[in-house]
Amino acid sequence: LLKEPRHAVISRKDADSEQIYKVLKQIPDSELFSSAAFGGKDLMFSDAATELIELPKIMDSFLYLRENYHEAMRALRAGNPPPPPQDRNIEWCTISHAEQQKCDSLQIPHMECRRASSVEECIQKIMRKEADAIAVDGGQV
């Protein structure tokens, strides 16, 4: 793959990530990221790590590792399947009932309307290729 993904602390979805972060931040970085005192290398954390960063709750593995990593892993598992046909429908993401109604009523050929609960969710859908586009105002860009 030539590129190693960033290291991460992974927890259950129902775990209190804020509490895990607080507990780990109580340990000095020099102790947390060093394994020399225990006669090993990369014990618990990479010895090359320099800091612990808390990610937003909406961050998942796809968003964190990025599309290229997931595509590379999918290609390795599937044996490089052919790319999808280019004449597929456009998936437009809407964020309200009224937007969904308008999108549906436009009946644009080769465009389907997909509903999400927020702009952030639409952006996640676009990054996961579950949607193709959304219109946002300047502040949301």
Side-chain angles (χ1 to χ4, degrees), residues 16-81:
D16 184 353
S17 61
E18 291 174 13
Q19 180 63 17
I20 293 169
Y21 180 76
K22 279 183 197 174
V23 168
L24 291 174
K25 284 305 284 182
Q26 292 175 8
I27 304 165
D29 288 347
S30 60
E31 292 178 29
L32 192 61
F33 302 128
S34 177
S35 303
F38 302 96
K41 184 175 183 321
D42 298 332
L43 302 175
M44 292 179 62
F45 296 93
S46 168
D47 290 343
T50 57
E51 65 181 323
L52 194 62
I53 300 169
E54 186 175 19
L55 299 174
K57 289 230 181 256
I58 62 167
M59 184 71 67
D60 65 13
S61 67
F62 183 89
L63 298 174
Y64 182 74
L65 294 171
R66 306 267 185 208
E67 177 185 358
N68 292 344
Y69 179 80
H70 279 272
E71 289 299 321
M73 295 306 294
R74 187 176 303 131
L76 285 172
R77 283 190 210 108
N80 294 322

Side-chain angles (χ1 to χ4, degrees), residues 56-129:
K57 289 230 181 256
I58 62 167
M59 184 71 67
D60 65 13
S61 67
F62 183 89
L63 298 174
Y64 182 74
L65 294 171
R66 306 267 185 208
E67 177 185 358
N68 292 344
Y69 179 80
H70 279 272
E71 289 299 321
M73 295 306 294
R74 187 176 303 131
L76 285 172
R77 283 190 210 108
N80 294 322
Q86 295 300 318
D87 60 346
R88 64 178 187 78
N89 288 342
I90 300 291
E91 306 278 339
W92 193 271
C93 195
T94 64
I95 57 170
S96 69
H97 179 71
E99 247 186 30
Q100 182 73 32
Q101 281 186 312
K102 178 181 179 180
C103 186
D104 289 337
S105 71
L106 292 173
Q107 297 181 347
I108 299 172
H110 305 292
M111 187 171 95
E112 293 183 23
C113 308
R114 297 285 175 249
R115 177 83 185 269
S117 61
S118 66
V119 170
E120 290 82 9
E121 186 181 342
C122 277
I123 292 169
Q124 286 180 344
K125 285 180 177 289
I126 290 168
M127 292 179 76
R128 289 187 187 110
K129 296 188 178 184

